Coordinates of all heavy atoms in Angstrom, one line a residue:
A1 N -112.1 -107.3 86.5 CA -111.5 -107.3 85.2 C -112.4 -108.0 84.2 O -112.4 -107.7 83.1 CB -110.2 -108.1 85.2
L2 N -113.2 -108.9 84.7 CA -114.2 -109.6 83.8 C -115.6 -109.4 84.2 O -116.5 -110.2 84.1 CB -113.9 -111.2 83.9 CG -112.7 -111.6 83.1 CD1 -112.5 -113.1 83.4 CD2 -112.9 -111.4 81.6
G3 N -115.9 -108.2 84.5 CA -117.2 -107.8 84.9 C -118.3 -108.2 83.9 O -119.5 -108.6 84.2
K4 N -117.9 -108.1 82.7 CA -118.8 -108.4 81.5 C -118.4 -109.8 80.9 O -119.0 -110.0 79.8 CB -118.8 -107.3 80.5 CG -119.4 -106.0 81.0 CD -119.4 -104.9 80.0 CE -119.9 -103.6 80.4 NZ -120.2 -102.6 79.4
G5 N -117.7 -110.5 81.6 CA -117.3 -111.8 81.1 C -118.3 -112.8 81.2 O -119.3 -112.7 81.9
S6 N -118.2 -114.0 80.5 CA -119.2 -115.0 80.5 C -119.0 -115.7 81.8 O -117.9 -115.6 82.5 CB -119.0 -116.0 79.3 OG -117.7 -116.7 79.6
D7 N -120.0 -116.5 82.2 CA -119.9 -117.4 83.3 C -118.6 -118.2 83.3 O -117.9 -118.4 84.4 CB -121.1 -118.3 83.6 CG -122.4 -117.4 83.9 OD1 -122.3 -116.3 84.2 OD2 -123.5 -118.0 83.7
L8 N -118.3 -118.8 82.1 CA -117.1 -119.7 82.1 C -115.8 -118.9 82.3 O -114.9 -119.3 83.0 CB -117.2 -120.5 80.7 CG -116.2 -121.6 80.6 CD1 -116.2 -122.6 81.7 CD2 -116.3 -122.3 79.2
E9 N -115.8 -117.8 81.7 CA -114.6 -116.9 81.8 C -114.4 -116.5 83.3 O -113.3 -116.5 83.8 CB -114.6 -115.6 81.0 CG -114.5 -115.9 79.4 CD -114.9 -114.7 78.6 OE1 -115.8 -114.0 78.9 OE2 -114.1 -114.5 77.6
K10 N -115.5 -116.2 83.9 CA -115.4 -115.8 85.3 C -115.1 -116.9 86.2 O -114.3 -116.8 87.2 CB -116.8 -115.2 85.8 CG -117.2 -113.9 85.3 CD -118.6 -113.5 85.7 CE -119.0 -112.2 85.0 NZ -120.3 -111.8 85.4
A11 N -115.5 -118.1 85.9 CA -115.1 -119.4 86.6 C -113.6 -119.6 86.5 O -112.9 -119.9 87.6 CB -115.9 -120.6 86.1
F12 N -113.0 -119.5 85.4 CA -111.6 -119.7 85.2 C -110.8 -118.6 85.9 O -109.8 -118.8 86.3 CB -111.2 -119.8 83.7 CG -111.4 -121.3 83.3 CD1 -112.5 -121.8 82.8 CD2 -110.3 -122.2 83.4 CE1 -112.7 -123.1 82.5 CE2 -110.4 -123.5 83.1 CZ -111.5 -123.9 82.7
A13 N -111.3 -117.3 85.7 CA -110.7 -116.2 86.4 C -110.7 -116.3 87.9 O -109.7 -116.1 88.5 CB -111.3 -114.9 86.1
T14 N -111.8 -116.9 88.5 CA -111.7 -117.2 89.9 C -110.8 -118.3 90.3 O -110.1 -118.1 91.4 CB -113.2 -117.6 90.4 OG1 -114.2 -116.5 90.0 CG2 -113.3 -118.0 91.8
A15 N -110.6 -119.3 89.5 CA -109.7 -120.4 89.8 C -108.3 -119.8 89.8 O -107.4 -120.2 90.6 CB -109.9 -121.5 88.8
A16 N -108.0 -119.0 88.7 CA -106.7 -118.3 88.7 C -106.4 -117.4 89.9 O -105.3 -117.4 90.5 CB -106.6 -117.4 87.4
L17 N -107.4 -116.6 90.3 CA -107.3 -115.8 91.5 C -107.1 -116.5 92.8 O -106.0 -116.1 93.5 CB -108.5 -114.9 91.6 CG -108.5 -113.8 92.7 CD1 -107.4 -112.8 92.5 CD2 -109.9 -113.1 92.7
V18 N -107.8 -117.6 92.9 CA -107.6 -118.4 94.1 C -106.2 -119.0 94.2 O -105.5 -119.0 95.1 CB -108.7 -119.5 94.2 CG1 -108.3 -120.6 95.3 CG2 -110.0 -118.9 94.5
Y19 N -105.8 -119.5 93.0 CA -104.4 -120.1 92.9 C -103.3 -119.0 93.2 O -102.4 -119.1 94.0 CB -104.2 -120.7 91.6 CG -102.8 -121.3 91.3 CD1 -102.5 -122.5 91.7 CD2 -101.7 -120.4 90.9 CE1 -101.1 -123.0 91.5 CE2 -100.5 -121.0 90.8 CZ -100.1 -122.2 91.1 OH -98.9 -122.7 91.0
N20 N -103.4 -117.9 92.6 CA -102.5 -116.9 92.7 C -102.4 -116.3 94.2 O -101.3 -116.0 94.5 CB -102.7 -115.7 91.7 CG -102.3 -116.1 90.3 OD1 -101.5 -116.9 90.0 ND2 -103.0 -115.3 89.3
N21 N -103.5 -116.2 94.9 CA -103.5 -115.8 96.2 C -102.8 -116.7 97.1 O -102.4 -116.3 98.2 CB -104.9 -115.5 96.6 CG -105.5 -114.2 96.1 OD1 -104.8 -113.3 95.6 ND2 -106.9 -114.1 96.0
S22 N -102.7 -118.0 96.7 CA -102.0 -119.0 97.6 C -100.6 -119.2 97.2 O -99.8 -119.9 97.9 CB -102.9 -120.3 97.5 OG -104.2 -120.1 98.0
A23 N -100.3 -118.9 95.9 CA -99.0 -119.3 95.4 C -97.8 -118.4 96.0 O -98.0 -117.3 96.5 CB -99.0 -119.0 93.8
D24 N -96.6 -119.0 95.9 CA -95.4 -118.3 96.3 C -95.0 -117.2 95.4 O -95.7 -117.1 94.3 CB -94.3 -119.2 96.6 CG -93.7 -120.0 95.4 OD1 -94.0 -119.6 94.2 OD2 -93.1 -121.0 95.5
P25 N -94.0 -116.4 95.5 CA -93.7 -115.3 94.7 C -93.2 -115.8 93.2 O -93.3 -115.1 92.3 CB -92.4 -114.7 95.4 CG -92.7 -114.9 96.9 CD -93.3 -116.3 96.8
E26 N -92.8 -117.1 93.2 CA -92.6 -117.6 91.8 C -93.8 -118.1 91.0 O -93.7 -118.7 90.0 CB -91.5 -118.8 92.0 CG -90.2 -118.3 92.5 CD -89.2 -119.5 92.8 OE1 -89.7 -120.7 92.7 OE2 -88.1 -119.3 93.1
G27 N -95.0 -118.0 91.8 CA -96.2 -118.5 91.2 C -96.5 -120.0 91.3 O -97.1 -120.5 90.5
K28 N -95.9 -120.6 92.3 CA -96.1 -122.0 92.5 C -96.5 -122.4 93.9 O -96.5 -121.5 94.8 CB -94.7 -122.7 92.2 CG -94.3 -122.5 90.8 CD -93.0 -123.4 90.5 CE -92.8 -123.2 89.0 NZ -91.7 -124.2 88.6
L29 N -97.1 -123.6 94.0 CA -97.5 -124.1 95.3 C -96.8 -125.4 95.6 O -96.5 -126.2 94.8 CB -99.0 -124.4 95.2 CG -100.1 -123.4 95.2 CD1 -101.5 -124.1 94.9 CD2 -100.1 -122.6 96.4
S30 N -96.5 -125.5 96.9 CA -95.9 -126.8 97.3 C -97.0 -127.9 97.3 O -98.2 -127.5 97.1 CB -95.4 -126.7 98.8 OG -96.5 -126.7 99.7
K31 N -96.7 -129.1 97.3 CA -97.6 -130.2 97.2 C -98.6 -130.1 98.3 O -99.8 -130.3 98.3 CB -97.0 -131.5 97.0 CG -96.4 -131.7 95.7 CD -95.8 -133.1 95.5 CE -95.3 -133.2 94.1 NZ -94.7 -134.6 93.8
S32 N -98.0 -129.8 99.5 CA -98.8 -129.8 100.8 C -99.8 -128.6 100.7 O -101.0 -128.8 101.1 CB -98.0 -129.8 101.9 OG -97.2 -128.7 102.1
E33 N -99.3 -127.5 100.1 CA -100.2 -126.3 100.0 C -101.3 -126.7 99.0 O -102.5 -126.2 99.1 CB -99.4 -125.1 99.4 CG -98.5 -124.5 100.7 CD -97.5 -123.6 100.0 OE1 -97.1 -123.7 98.8 OE2 -97.1 -122.6 100.8
T34 N -100.9 -127.3 97.9 CA -101.9 -127.8 96.9 C -103.1 -128.6 97.5 O -104.2 -128.3 97.3 CB -101.3 -128.5 95.8 OG1 -100.3 -127.6 95.1 CG2 -102.3 -128.9 94.7
K35 N -102.7 -129.6 98.3 CA -103.6 -130.4 99.0 C -104.5 -129.7 99.9 O -105.7 -129.9 100.0 CB -102.8 -131.6 99.8 CG -103.7 -132.6 100.4 CD -103.0 -133.7 101.1 CE -103.9 -134.7 101.8 NZ -103.2 -135.7 102.5
S36 N -103.8 -128.8 100.6 CA -104.7 -127.9 101.6 C -105.7 -127.1 100.8 O -106.8 -126.9 101.2 CB -103.8 -127.1 102.5 OG -104.5 -126.3 103.3
L37 N -105.3 -126.5 99.8 CA -106.1 -125.6 98.9 C -107.3 -126.5 98.4 O -108.4 -126.0 98.4 CB -105.3 -125.0 97.8 CG -106.0 -124.0 96.9 CD1 -106.5 -122.9 97.8 CD2 -105.1 -123.4 95.9
L38 N -107.0 -127.6 97.9 CA -108.1 -128.5 97.4 C -109.1 -128.9 98.5 O -110.3 -128.7 98.2 CB -107.5 -129.7 96.8 CG -106.7 -129.6 95.5 CD1 -106.0 -130.9 95.1 CD2 -107.5 -129.1 94.4
Q39 N -108.6 -129.1 99.7 CA -109.4 -129.5 100.7 C -110.4 -128.4 101.2 O -111.5 -128.6 101.6 CB -108.6 -130.1 101.9 CG -108.1 -131.5 101.5 CD -107.1 -132.0 102.6 OE1 -106.4 -131.2 103.3 NE2 -107.0 -133.3 102.6
S40 N -109.9 -127.2 101.0 CA -110.6 -126.0 101.6 C -111.4 -125.3 100.5 O -112.6 -125.0 100.8 CB -109.7 -124.9 102.2 OG -108.8 -124.3 101.1
Q41 N -111.0 -125.4 99.2 CA -111.7 -124.6 98.2 C -112.4 -125.5 97.2 O -113.1 -125.0 96.3 CB -110.7 -123.8 97.4 CG -110.2 -122.6 98.2 CD -111.1 -121.6 98.5 OE1 -111.9 -121.2 97.6 NE2 -111.1 -121.1 99.7
F42 N -112.2 -126.9 97.3 CA -112.8 -127.8 96.2 C -113.4 -129.0 97.0 O -113.6 -130.0 96.4 CB -111.6 -128.2 95.3 CG -112.1 -128.4 94.0 CD1 -112.6 -127.5 93.1 CD2 -111.8 -129.8 93.3 CE1 -113.1 -127.7 91.9 CE2 -112.3 -129.9 92.0 CZ -112.9 -128.9 91.3
C43 N -113.8 -128.8 98.2 CA -114.1 -129.9 99.1 C -115.4 -130.5 98.6 O -115.6 -131.8 98.7 CB -114.4 -129.4 100.5 SG -115.5 -128.1 100.7
H44 N -116.4 -129.9 97.9 CA -117.6 -130.5 97.5 C -117.4 -131.3 96.3 O -118.2 -132.4 96.1 CB -118.6 -129.5 97.1 CG -119.1 -128.7 98.4 ND1 -118.7 -127.5 98.8 CD2 -120.0 -129.1 99.4 CE1 -119.3 -127.2 99.8 NE2 -120.1 -128.1 100.3
F45 N -116.3 -131.2 95.5 CA -116.0 -132.0 94.4 C -115.2 -133.3 94.8 O -115.3 -134.3 94.2 CB -115.2 -131.2 93.3 CG -116.1 -130.4 92.4 CD1 -116.4 -129.2 92.7 CD2 -116.5 -131.0 91.3 CE1 -117.3 -128.5 91.8 CE2 -117.3 -130.3 90.3 CZ -117.7 -129.1 90.7
I46 N -114.4 -133.0 95.9 CA -113.6 -134.2 96.3 C -114.3 -135.1 97.4 O -113.8 -136.2 97.6 CB -112.1 -133.8 96.7 CG1 -112.2 -132.9 98.0 CG2 -111.4 -133.2 95.6 CD1 -110.8 -132.5 98.5
Q47 N -115.4 -134.6 97.9 CA -116.1 -135.3 99.0 C -116.6 -136.6 98.4 O -117.2 -136.7 97.4 CB -117.2 -134.5 99.4 CG -118.1 -135.1 100.5 CD -119.1 -134.1 101.1 OE1 -119.5 -133.2 100.4 NE2 -119.7 -134.4 102.2
G48 N -116.4 -137.7 99.2 CA -116.8 -139.0 98.7 C -116.0 -139.7 97.8 O -116.4 -140.9 97.3
Q49 N -114.9 -139.2 97.5 CA -114.0 -139.8 96.4 C -112.8 -140.6 97.1 O -112.1 -141.2 96.3 CB -113.4 -138.7 95.5 CG -114.4 -138.1 94.7 CD -113.7 -137.2 93.7 OE1 -112.9 -137.6 92.8 NE2 -114.0 -136.0 93.7
E50 N -112.8 -140.6 98.5 CA -111.7 -141.2 99.1 C -111.4 -142.6 98.8 O -110.2 -143.1 98.8 CB -111.9 -141.1 100.6 CG -112.0 -139.7 101.2 CD -113.3 -139.0 101.0 OE1 -114.3 -139.8 100.6 OE2 -113.5 -137.8 101.2
N51 N -112.4 -143.4 98.4 CA -112.2 -144.8 98.1 C -111.8 -145.1 96.5 O -111.7 -146.2 96.1 CB -113.4 -145.7 98.5 CG -113.6 -145.7 99.9 OD1 -112.6 -145.7 100.7 ND2 -114.8 -145.6 100.4
K52 N -111.9 -144.1 95.8 CA -111.5 -144.3 94.4 C -110.0 -144.2 94.2 O -109.3 -143.4 94.6 CB -112.2 -143.1 93.6 CG -113.7 -143.0 93.6 CD -114.2 -141.9 92.8 CE -115.7 -141.9 92.7 NZ -116.2 -140.8 92.0
P53 N -109.6 -145.3 93.5 CA -108.1 -145.4 93.3 C -107.3 -144.3 92.6 O -106.3 -144.0 93.0 CB -108.0 -146.8 92.3 CG -109.3 -147.5 92.6 CD -110.4 -146.4 92.9
K54 N -108.0 -143.7 91.6 CA -107.4 -142.5 91.0 C -107.3 -141.3 91.9 O -106.3 -140.6 92.0 CB -108.2 -142.2 89.8 CG -107.6 -140.9 88.9 CD -106.3 -141.5 88.4 CE -105.6 -140.4 87.5 NZ -104.2 -140.7 87.0
Y55 N -108.3 -141.2 92.7 CA -108.2 -140.1 93.7 C -107.1 -140.3 94.8 O -106.3 -139.5 95.0 CB -109.6 -140.0 94.5 CG -109.5 -138.9 95.5 CD1 -109.7 -137.7 95.4 CD2 -109.4 -139.4 96.9 CE1 -109.6 -136.7 96.4 CE2 -109.2 -138.4 98.0 CZ -109.4 -137.1 97.7 OH -109.3 -136.2 98.7
Q56 N -107.0 -141.6 95.2 CA -106.0 -141.9 96.1 C -104.5 -141.8 95.5 O -103.7 -141.3 96.2 CB -106.1 -143.4 96.6 CG -107.3 -143.6 97.5 CD -107.6 -145.0 97.9 OE1 -107.0 -146.0 97.3 NE2 -108.5 -145.3 98.8
E57 N -104.5 -142.1 94.3 CA -103.2 -141.8 93.6 C -102.8 -140.3 93.5 O -101.7 -140.0 93.8 CB -103.3 -142.4 92.1 CG -102.2 -142.3 91.3 CD -102.3 -142.8 89.8 OE1 -103.1 -143.7 89.6 OE2 -101.7 -142.2 88.9
I58 N -103.9 -139.5 93.2 CA -103.5 -138.0 93.0 C -103.2 -137.5 94.4 O -102.2 -136.9 94.6 CB -104.8 -137.4 92.6 CG1 -105.0 -137.6 91.1 CG2 -104.7 -135.9 92.8 CD1 -106.3 -137.2 90.5
I59 N -104.0 -137.9 95.5 CA -103.6 -137.3 96.8 C -102.3 -137.9 97.3 O -101.6 -137.1 98.0 CB -104.8 -137.6 97.7 CG1 -106.0 -136.8 97.3 CG2 -104.5 -137.3 99.2 CD1 -105.9 -135.3 97.2
S60 N -102.0 -139.2 97.1 CA -100.7 -139.7 97.6 C -99.6 -139.0 97.0 O -98.5 -138.8 97.6 CB -100.8 -141.2 97.5 OG -100.7 -141.6 96.2
S61 N -99.8 -138.6 95.7 CA -98.6 -137.9 95.0 C -98.4 -136.5 95.7 O -97.3 -136.0 95.7 CB -99.0 -137.8 93.6 OG -99.9 -136.8 93.3
L62 N -99.5 -135.9 96.2 CA -99.4 -134.7 97.0 C -98.7 -134.8 98.4 O -98.2 -133.8 99.0 CB -100.6 -133.9 97.1 CG -101.3 -133.5 95.7 CD1 -102.6 -132.9 96.0 CD2 -100.3 -132.5 95.0
D63 N -98.8 -136.1 98.9 CA -98.2 -136.3 100.2 C -96.8 -136.7 100.1 O -96.1 -136.7 101.2 CB -98.9 -137.5 100.8 CG -100.4 -137.1 101.3 OD1 -100.5 -135.9 101.6 OD2 -101.2 -138.1 101.4
E64 N -96.2 -137.0 98.9 CA -94.8 -137.3 98.8 C -93.9 -136.2 99.3 O -94.2 -135.0 99.0 CB -94.5 -137.6 97.3 CG -95.1 -138.9 96.9 CD -94.9 -139.1 95.3 OE1 -94.1 -138.3 94.7 OE2 -95.4 -140.1 94.7
E65 N -92.7 -136.5 100.0 CA -91.9 -135.5 100.4 C -91.0 -135.1 99.2 O -90.1 -135.9 98.9 CB -91.0 -136.1 101.5 CG -91.8 -136.3 102.8 CD -92.3 -135.0 103.4 OE1 -91.7 -134.0 103.4 OE2 -93.5 -135.1 103.9
S66 N -91.3 -134.1 98.6 CA -90.5 -133.7 97.4 C -90.5 -132.2 97.4 O -91.4 -131.4 97.8 CB -91.3 -134.2 96.2 OG -90.7 -133.7 95.0
E67 N -89.5 -131.6 96.7 CA -89.4 -130.2 96.7 C -90.1 -129.8 95.4 O -90.1 -128.5 95.1 CB -87.8 -129.9 96.4 CG -87.0 -130.1 97.8 CD -87.6 -129.1 98.8 OE1 -87.9 -127.9 98.7 OE2 -87.8 -129.6 100.0
N68 N -90.6 -130.7 94.6 CA -91.3 -130.3 93.4 C -92.6 -129.5 93.7 O -93.2 -129.8 94.8 CB -91.8 -131.5 92.6 CG -90.6 -132.3 92.0 OD1 -89.6 -131.7 91.8 ND2 -90.8 -133.5 91.8
K69 N -92.8 -128.4 93.0 CA -93.9 -127.6 93.3 C -94.8 -127.7 92.2 O -94.4 -128.0 91.1 CB -93.5 -126.2 93.7 CG -92.7 -125.9 94.9 CD -92.4 -124.6 95.1 CE -91.9 -124.4 96.5 NZ -91.8 -123.1 97.0
I70 N -96.1 -127.2 92.4 CA -97.2 -127.3 91.4 C -97.2 -125.9 90.7 O -97.4 -124.9 91.4 CB -98.4 -127.6 92.0 CG1 -98.4 -129.0 92.8 CG2 -99.6 -127.7 91.1 CD1 -98.3 -130.2 92.0
D71 N -97.3 -125.8 89.4 CA -97.5 -124.5 88.7 C -99.0 -124.5 88.4 O -99.7 -125.4 88.6 CB -96.6 -124.4 87.5 CG -96.7 -125.4 86.4 OD1 -97.8 -126.1 86.4 OD2 -95.9 -125.4 85.6
F72 N -99.4 -123.3 87.8 CA -100.8 -123.1 87.6 C -101.3 -124.1 86.6 O -102.4 -124.7 86.7 CB -101.0 -121.7 87.1 CG -102.6 -121.4 86.8 CD1 -103.4 -121.3 87.8 CD2 -102.9 -121.2 85.5 CE1 -104.8 -121.1 87.6 CE2 -104.3 -120.9 85.3 CZ -105.2 -120.9 86.4
E73 N -100.5 -124.5 85.6 CA -101.0 -125.4 84.5 C -101.2 -126.7 85.1 O -102.3 -127.4 84.9 CB -99.9 -125.5 83.4 CG -100.3 -126.5 82.3 CD -99.2 -126.6 81.2 OE1 -98.6 -125.6 81.0 OE2 -99.1 -127.7 80.7
D74 N -100.3 -127.2 86.0 CA -100.5 -128.5 86.7 C -101.7 -128.5 87.6 O -102.4 -129.5 87.8 CB -99.3 -129.0 87.4 CG -98.2 -129.3 86.4 OD1 -98.4 -129.7 85.3 OD2 -97.0 -129.3 86.8
F75 N -101.9 -127.3 88.3 CA -103.0 -127.2 89.2 C -104.4 -127.3 88.4 O -105.3 -128.0 88.9 CB -103.0 -125.9 89.9 CG -104.1 -125.6 90.8 CD1 -104.0 -126.2 92.1 CD2 -105.0 -124.7 90.6 CE1 -105.0 -126.0 93.0 CE2 -106.1 -124.4 91.5 CZ -106.1 -125.1 92.6
M76 N -104.4 -126.7 87.2 CA -105.7 -126.8 86.5 C -105.9 -128.2 86.0 O -107.1 -128.7 86.0 CB -105.6 -125.7 85.3 CG -105.7 -124.3 85.8 SD -107.1 -123.9 86.8 CE -108.4 -124.0 85.5
I77 N -104.9 -128.8 85.6 CA -105.0 -130.3 85.2 C -105.5 -131.1 86.3 O -106.5 -132.1 86.2 CB -103.7 -130.8 84.5 CG1 -103.3 -130.1 83.3 CG2 -103.7 -132.4 84.4 CD1 -101.9 -130.4 82.8
L78 N -105.0 -130.9 87.5 CA -105.4 -131.5 88.7 C -106.9 -131.2 89.0 O -107.7 -132.1 89.3 CB -104.6 -131.1 90.0 CG -104.8 -131.7 91.2 CD1 -104.4 -133.2 91.2 CD2 -103.8 -131.1 92.2
L79 N -107.3 -129.9 88.8 CA -108.8 -129.6 89.1 C -109.7 -130.4 88.1 O -110.7 -130.9 88.4 CB -109.0 -128.2 89.0 CG -108.6 -127.3 90.1 CD1 -108.9 -125.8 89.8 CD2 -109.2 -127.6 91.4
V80 N -109.3 -130.4 86.8 CA -110.1 -131.0 85.8 C -110.1 -132.5 86.1 O -111.2 -133.1 86.1 CB -109.5 -130.7 84.4 CG1 -110.2 -131.6 83.4 CG2 -109.7 -129.3 84.1
S81 N -109.1 -133.1 86.5 CA -109.0 -134.6 86.8 C -110.0 -134.8 87.9 O -110.7 -135.9 87.8 CB -107.7 -135.0 87.0 OG -106.8 -134.8 86.1
L82 N -109.9 -134.1 89.0 CA -110.7 -134.3 90.1 C -112.2 -134.1 89.8 O -113.1 -134.8 90.3 CB -110.3 -133.4 91.3 CG -108.9 -133.9 91.9 CD1 -108.5 -132.8 92.9 CD2 -109.0 -135.3 92.6
T83 N -112.4 -133.1 89.0 CA -113.8 -132.8 88.6 C -114.4 -133.9 87.8 O -115.6 -134.2 88.0 CB -113.9 -131.5 87.7 OG1 -113.4 -130.4 88.6 CG2 -115.3 -131.1 87.3
L84 N -113.6 -134.4 86.9 CA -114.1 -135.5 86.0 C -114.5 -136.8 86.7 O -115.4 -137.4 86.3 CB -113.2 -135.9 84.9 CG -113.0 -134.8 83.8 CD1 -111.8 -135.1 82.9 CD2 -114.3 -134.5 83.0
M85 N -113.8 -137.0 87.8 CA -114.2 -138.3 88.5 C -115.2 -137.9 89.7 O -115.6 -138.9 90.4 CB -112.9 -138.9 89.1 CG -112.3 -138.2 90.3 SD -110.9 -139.0 90.9 CE -109.6 -138.6 89.8
S86 N -115.5 -136.8 89.9 CA -116.4 -136.4 91.0 C -117.9 -136.9 90.9 O -118.5 -136.8 89.8 CB -116.4 -134.8 91.1 OG -117.3 -134.4 92.0
D87 N -118.5 -137.2 92.0 CA -119.9 -137.7 92.0 C -120.7 -136.3 91.8 O -121.8 -136.5 91.2 CB -120.2 -138.3 93.4 CG -119.5 -139.6 93.5 OD1 -119.3 -140.3 92.6 OD2 -119.3 -139.9 94.8
L88 N -120.2 -135.2 92.3 CA -121.0 -134.0 92.1 C -121.1 -133.6 90.7 O -122.1 -133.1 90.2 CB -120.1 -132.9 92.9 CG -120.8 -131.4 92.8 CD1 -122.1 -131.5 93.4 CD2 -119.9 -130.5 93.5
L89 N -120.2 -134.0 89.8 CA -120.3 -133.6 88.4 C -121.4 -134.4 87.9 O -122.2 -133.9 87.0 CB -119.0 -134.0 87.6 CG -119.0 -133.8 86.2 CD1 -119.2 -132.4 85.8 CD2 -117.7 -134.3 85.5
Q90 N -121.6 -135.6 88.3 CA -122.9 -136.4 87.7 C -124.2 -135.7 88.2 O -125.1 -135.7 87.4 CB -122.7 -137.8 88.3 CG -121.6 -138.6 87.7 CD -121.5 -138.6 86.2 OE1 -122.5 -138.7 85.5 NE2 -120.3 -138.3 85.6
E91 N -124.2 -135.2 89.4 CA -125.3 -134.5 89.8 C -125.6 -133.3 89.0 O -126.7 -132.9 88.6 CB -125.2 -134.2 91.3 CG -125.3 -135.3 92.2 CD -125.1 -134.9 93.7 OE1 -125.6 -133.8 94.1 OE2 -124.5 -135.7 94.4
I92 N -124.5 -132.5 88.7 CA -124.6 -131.4 88.0 C -125.0 -131.6 86.5 O -125.9 -130.9 86.0 CB -123.2 -130.5 88.0 CG1 -122.9 -130.0 89.3 CG2 -123.1 -129.4 86.9 CD1 -121.4 -129.5 89.5
K93 N -124.6 -132.7 86.0 CA -124.9 -133.1 84.6 C -126.5 -133.3 84.5 O -127.1 -133.2 83.4 CB -124.2 -134.2 84.1 CG -122.8 -134.0 83.7 CD -122.2 -135.2 83.2 CE -120.8 -135.1 82.7 NZ -120.2 -136.3 82.3
N94 N -127.1 -133.7 85.6 CA -128.5 -134.0 85.7 C -129.4 -132.8 85.9 O -130.6 -132.9 85.7 CB -128.8 -135.1 86.8 CG -128.2 -136.4 86.4 OD1 -128.1 -136.8 85.3 ND2 -127.8 -137.1 87.4
V95 N -128.8 -131.6 86.1 CA -129.5 -130.4 86.4 C -129.6 -129.7 85.0 O -128.6 -129.4 84.4 CB -128.9 -129.6 87.5 CG1 -129.6 -128.3 87.7 CG2 -128.8 -130.4 88.7
K96 N -130.8 -129.3 84.7 CA -131.0 -128.6 83.5 C -131.4 -127.2 83.9 O -132.3 -126.9 84.6 CB -132.1 -129.1 82.5 CG -131.8 -130.5 82.1 CD -130.7 -130.7 81.1 CE -130.4 -132.0 80.6 NZ -129.2 -132.3 80.1
T97 N -130.7 -126.1 83.4 CA -131.0 -124.7 83.6 C -131.6 -124.1 82.4 O -131.4 -124.5 81.2 CB -129.9 -123.9 84.0 OG1 -128.9 -124.0 82.9 CG2 -129.2 -124.5 85.3
T98 N -132.5 -123.2 82.6 CA -133.2 -122.4 81.5 C -132.8 -120.9 81.7 O -132.6 -120.4 82.7 CB -134.6 -122.5 81.6 OG1 -135.2 -122.2 82.8 CG2 -135.0 -124.0 81.3
K99 N -132.6 -120.4 80.5 CA -132.3 -118.9 80.5 C -133.3 -118.1 79.7 O -134.0 -118.6 79.0 CB -130.9 -118.7 79.7 CG -129.8 -119.3 80.6 CD -128.5 -118.8 80.1 CE -127.3 -119.3 81.0 NZ -126.1 -118.6 80.8

């Protein structure tokens, strides 16, 4: 659908596709499914963050026994939050690309 889209558009489309492929028929993920998806699909961004208090807070909220499910909007907020605190983001910022 985005064959001619920009890199950023393709990145967001990929995130939406990964989420939708894991979501239930209502378009939501349980907290445990969300945690599993992050560990399998976002592992390089969350690697090494285990000792950061904000990361622990986010992950512990996904461990809570609750019927609350995560919708796509909340999932994207979670991705952005984890990305902003990631050590990998700092490495990416230091890389300059030329076109």
Side-chain angles (χ1 to χ4, degrees):
L2 282 175
K4 294 184 180 182
S6 70
D7 290 344
L8 190 56
E9 289 171 323
K10 289 177 185 176
F12 273 89
T14 299
L17 182 62
V18 169
Y19 177 88
N20 287 337
N21 285 339
S22 299
D24 65 17
E26 296 175 355
K28 296 186 178 190
L29 288 173
S30 71
K31 288 183 175 184
S32 63
E33 290 168 329
T34 301
K35 183 178 178 181
S36 177
L37 185 62
L38 290 170
Q39 290 171 331
S40 67
Q41 294 288 320
F42 214 58
C43 59
H44 292 98
F45 276 90
I46 62 176
Q47 183 177 14
Q49 296 188 58
E50 297 82 8
N51 295 324
K52 294 181 179 179
K54 185 64 178 172
Y55 174 81
Q56 291 175 349
E57 179 184 328
I58 289 169
I59 294 302
S60 67
S61 73
L62 295 176
D63 286 333
E64 293 173 1
E65 293 297 323
S66 174
E67 292 299 314
N68 293 338
K69 293 190 173 189
I70 306 286
D71 62 16
F72 182 68
E73 180 179 326
D74 290 335
F75 181 75
M76 291 303 290
I77 291 169
L78 188 59
L79 283 183
V80 169
S81 298
L82 291 171
T83 300
L84 289 173
M85 73 175 81
S86 174
D87 296 332
L88 182 58
L89 179 63
Q90 294 308 312
E91 290 178 35
I92 292 168
K93 284 181 175 181
N94 292 331
V95 175
K96 301 290 183 196
T97 59
T98 58
K99 291 193 174 195

